[in-house]
Amino acid sequence: MVEERTTDGRRIAELLASELDGREDGALEAVSVANADRDVEPSADGARAYDVEVGDDRLARAFVHPDRLRLEFERGRELAAETATELELRVRPKASKPPKTLVFVESGAAVKRATDVVDAVVGAD
């Protein structure tokens, strides 16, 4: 049997959105996917697909690349970096104003770990 690995950025974004919107337990109950661009096309620089919100506050933005998803955390940046590193997701800071933490989701299998990062950040607020 051949195992398929989902590495299409748009599909990874869809999987994560389903995980975040579909969860009604714990801290994720307050999380929603907002301002979704249903026609987003992946780009090398990353095209904004949607925002991850808690109530009316934006926690992160999701950007699709041809081969991955990038989450830009605006809140809970240090905890997002720490949790993502522990879960073996690639992380790097973004020197912007305000600064952000980038978490890369490079496969469909990594979506659960990315959900755990969002859960940790929301649960700490």
Side-chain angles (χ1 to χ4, degrees):
M1 184 165 122
V2 176
E3 290 185 33
E4 285 189 37
R5 181 178 164 161
T6 301
T7 58
D8 173 81
R10 185 175 173 150
R11 181 66 184 131
I12 294 168
E14 291 169 349
L15 292 169
L16 181 60
S18 293
E19 274 293 311
L20 296 175
D21 250 358
R23 297 281 292 268
E24 295 182 3
D25 58 328
L28 291 177
E29 183 175 14
V31 173
S32 63
V33 171
N35 305 315
D37 180 352
R38 298 194 187 283
D39 298 319
V40 68
E41 289 297 324
S43 72
D45 292 332
R48 193 196 65 77
Y50 52 80
D51 299 335
V52 178
E53 296 183 346
V54 178
D56 293 331
D57 296 325
R58 186 169 59 214
L59 176 71
R61 297 181 103 181
F63 293 84
V64 293
H65 297 260
D67 59 348
R68 67 182 178 270
L69 171 75
R70 179 182 86 231
L71 285 173
E72 287 192 0
F73 283 86
E74 299 172 7
R75 291 182 28 214
R77 295 181 322 270
E78 290 178 17
L79 183 56
E82 179 182 311
T83 304
T85 299
E86 289 172 2
L87 296 172
E88 299 179 355
L89 294 173
R90 192 163 55 98
V91 178
R92 75 174 177 84
K94 181 176 182 182
S96 59
K97 292 193 187 227
K100 297 177 176 77
T101 294
L102 308 183
V103 175
F104 298 92
V105 186
E106 298 177 330
S107 71
V111 166
K112 293 284 189 190
R113 290 181 278 154
T115 303
D116 290 344
V117 173
V118 172
D119 187 35
V121 172
V122 173
D125 278 352

